[in-house]
Structures are given as C-alpha cells and as structure tokens.
Amino acid sequence: MAGRKRQKLVSRAASSLQACPICQRQVPLAAINIHLDTSCTGSAQALQACRPARASLSPAPAAQLPPAVASPSQISCKSQTRPSVTAQGHPIPPSTASAPVSHSSKSAAAVTHFVSDEQWDLSHREKTAVAGSPRSPLSELLSNPTCDKALLRAVCSAAAHSSLPGQSLFKDFISESEEAELLDLVDNQLPQWKNSNFNGAHRGKAWGVRMDLAKRTVLTPTVLMPPILLRIAKHMRCLPLLAKFHPNEANAIDYQRSCGNCLKPHVDDRQMSTEFIVNLSLAGACTMTFTRPGKAPRNFDVLLPRRSLQVTTKEARYTYTHSIDLRNFHDPRRVSITFRQSPLRS
C-alpha cells in the first residue's frame, strides 16, 4: 500500500515538471520562477553560441522624433474618454472620428497595402487609399505576399539587439493611418479606460482572454479582440520570428508624462503566457530599461520609437526585468498595446 502511494506521488511530481525555456532543464512547475531567477546557468553562452552576428539598429535621436499625439492640456489624467485625434495631434470632429485622415499628398496609386483578413480587406484598402498615408519600407516589404522568405529572415536578424538576447525591434511597423486607427480604438471605443497602479500608475484596458494572476486562471473573453488587432497580429505573422504567434489577448496602457506615469521593473508572468511578448508603441517614444538582477547585474537602455514593434523572448523575456522611468518618456503621451498568447486554464 505504501509503495503504491509513493509511486502515485512520484508520477504526480513527474507530470508537473516543465522544461526551462532558457536552459531546457526539467524543473518543477511551481519552482520555475525561482529557477530562472537563481539557478538557471549557461543560458547566455548557449544563446550566444547559436546566434549569428546581428547588425545593431542605431536608434534615432529623441529630438528627431515626431511630436506627440496630444499635449497634456488636451488630456485629463482622471478622464475616461477624450476626443479622437490625428497622428499629428489635431482633433477629429465627432462626425468624422472614424474616417481616415490624410497625412500625405502622395497619390493613392502609389500606396501598397498588406493582405488583411477577408472581412477587412476591401474596406481597409479603400479607406487607406483615400487617406494616402505613406508606408515605411518594412510595411511595403511585408505587404508583398510573394516576398522572399530569406529576405524576411534577414529583416528579423537585423532587428535583433546585438547584445541583449531575445530582444528585437522593428521600426515603423505600422503606418500613420494605422496608428490613427488604433488610437481611435483605444480612445473612443469600448471598453473604457480604467485607472490602475499595477506595475506603476497608468490607465489601461484589455481585450481577449481574461487572465487572473492571483487565481492563476485564464478564462474565455468577455470583450473580444477587435478586428483591427487581429489584422495587426496577422501582419506580425509575416515575420518568420512570429510565424507561429497567435495572440488571444491584448492590453493597452496610456502613459502621460504630466501625470507622473511610469512602468516599474518587473518580468511578465512566465507561466500564464507563451514565449513571445509583443508590443506596439503609439503616440510617442520612450526608452525602456532592461535589467538582469544578481551579483553581476546588466542594464540595457532601448529606445522604442513611435509606431515601432518590439518582440521579447528568451533571456529578454524571462531573465531581464523591464521598466520605463518617468524621465524616459520622450513625449507628453505614449500608448502601448501588448499582445500575448495565453492558453486557457481554469
């Protein structure tokens, strides 16, 4: 009887083991966070050995970045709603808040668009053609369905940080008209902004599956992912790095420099979501600080320009904390939309 009980306990312990995402060592599920913070070894050497030489993207000086979408005088820290604004910060009349905004005098014929989901394809092409918003070279490349996969792999390689394993940055991932559409989504559509002090004071909202960190559950959504976010996610999967990334949740955070907002050092939950954490920067730029704690701490300051897409995985995701100090917001306002893939668990 005692032997059967022992066998049952051993079987239960074995089934709760999980491979460490850095060193692949089998670790009890309940102790994975402690292992990653303390006893995970050899990760840096292993990653460095398998990583090819990557070109470092030189960040643009903050002084050359475009102006913020809205000034502090236009935004109330306690307000839950605000008028829609263009990417340049000009208010859009309520009757035309959902209409596309022209940002360029280029002809519509010169604008190329990526292939979107069937229900969005035609309407998005028509709207953006009217807006005439110029696309970046990266957007043009991803818009081509016959683009050489080797070239896309080279893009991912060039976007990888030269010294911070697992961090990649894709500049101008979205166009100005797409940024205006996303800002209209967060500012003028449900759910409402809510004040929060989680990992620093800010306003936030979320779509998709509901994650409860205290109860360790991921439940079915009450607010579905809007079509524009699904379209952006499909755009991400054009990159070989994110080819298998299917986010089922997204959360937006509104940082306002005049309100003293910040992001405190933390690591995104290591168990509730899968390996990739992806976030878009809207309305303004910031410098994010990555810190590896321990006896030999390391710090990296990474400039996140407006309309850029950041991907964190491996050490940048699991080993380094990330934070944004108030002084490192380079514009009056920055909105971040973070995408995660979180399997349901009850």
Side-chain angles (χ1 to χ4, degrees):
M1 194 70 180
R4 186 179 300 176
K5 184 176 181 180
R6 180 183 179 185
Q7 184 179 2
K8 185 176 180 180
L9 291 174
V10 171
S11 176
R12 184 182 301 174
S15 66
S16 63
L17 292 178
Q18 174 178 321
C20 171
I22 299 295
C23 68
Q24 302 304 316
R25 179 182 174 186
Q26 293 295 317
V27 180
L29 182 62
I32 187 68
N33 284 344
I34 298 174
H35 166 74
L36 284 163
D37 286 334
T38 58
S39 59
C40 182
T41 59
S43 55
Q45 292 86 342
L47 281 171
Q48 192 62 34
C50 67
R51 290 175 80 243
R54 303 182 189 274
S56 175
L57 296 179
S58 302
Q64 298 179 6
L65 293 170
V69 165
S71 65
S73 61
Q74 294 175 288
I75 302 173
S76 170
C77 301
K78 298 181 180 180
S79 172
Q80 297 297 325
T81 60
R82 66 166 66 85
S84 179
V85 294
T86 68
Q88 278 73 27
H90 307 299
I92 301 176
S95 60
T96 61
S98 60
V101 182
S102 176
H103 298 296
S104 171
S105 59
K106 289 187 177 181
S107 65
V111 181
T112 305
H113 309 285
F114 60 83
V115 178
S116 60
D117 294 332
E118 288 78 3
Q119 66 268 32
W120 275 82
D121 187 59
L122 180 60
S123 62
H124 177 67
R125 287 173 182 268
E126 291 175 347
K127 289 180 180 179
T128 314
V130 174
S133 175
R135 302 188 68 84
S136 69
L138 175 59
S139 296
E140 292 284 2
L141 179 64
L142 296 177
S143 71
N144 184 356
T146 62
C147 181
D148 186 359
K149 298 298 182 183
L151 183 56
L152 289 173
R153 286 194 294 269
V155 169
C156 291
S157 179
H161 197 287
S162 59
S163 302
L164 176 57
Q167 193 272 350
S168 298
L169 182 67
F170 299 89
K171 296 182 179 180
D172 290 314
F173 185 80
I174 58 173
S175 66
E176 292 181 10
S177 62
E178 288 168 326
E179 180 189 40
E181 193 176 357
L182 288 167
L183 289 171
D184 176 71
L185 169 72
V186 299
D187 286 337
N188 299 298
Q189 300 181 37
L190 295 175
Q192 297 280 354
W193 286 113
K194 292 183 179 180
N195 293 325
S196 173
N197 288 309
F198 183 72
N199 289 329
H202 62 270
R203 298 193 310 164
K205 61 171 61 181
W207 307 265
V209 296
R210 297 167 292 144
M211 182 184 298
D212 190 320
L213 296 177
K215 296 181 179 179
R216 314 303 294 167
T217 59
V218 179
L219 305 178
T220 55
T222 55
V223 181
L224 297 177
M225 293 269 284
I228 182 176
L229 295 186
L230 296 176
R231 170 158 48 90
I232 295 294
K234 185 175 181 180
H235 199 184
M236 295 175 191
R237 287 192 291 276
C238 294
L239 297 168
L241 177 65
L242 298 173
K244 297 182 180 180
F245 182 59
H246 293 268
N248 59 352
E249 67 158 314
N251 72 287
I253 297 181
D254 184 12
Y255 299 101
Q256 298 173 32
R257 194 168 58 190
S258 63
C259 299
N261 294 160
C262 67
L263 180 65
K264 295 180 180 179
H266 71 284
V267 175
D268 283 17
D269 194 281
R270 292 158 168 148
Q271 299 172 5
M272 306 288 280
S273 302
T274 55
E275 181 178 346
F276 293 98
I277 303 293
V278 182
N279 71 281
L280 273 172
S281 294
L282 309 175
C286 75
T287 295
M288 179 173 284
T289 300
F290 288 84
T291 302
R292 186 181 68 186
K295 295 181 180 179
R298 296 190 68 187
N299 292 327
F300 292 97
D301 289 327
V302 179
L303 177 66
L304 304 181
R306 184 175 173 178
R307 293 186 291 277
S308 66
L309 182 84
Q310 176 180 238
V311 180
T312 57
T313 182
K314 302 296 183 184
E315 287 197 66
R317 156 83 163 97
Y318 293 106
T319 305
Y320 285 78
T321 65
H322 58 279
S323 61
I324 309 173
D325 190 81
L326 172 62
R327 62 186 176 183
N328 286 333
F329 288 104
H330 305 306
D331 296 285
R333 184 192 187 198
R334 175 182 180 260
V335 174
S336 170
I337 300 182
T338 301
F339 297 79
R340 297 179 180 87
Q341 185 173 338
S342 303
L344 293 175
R345 57 167 72 186
S346 56

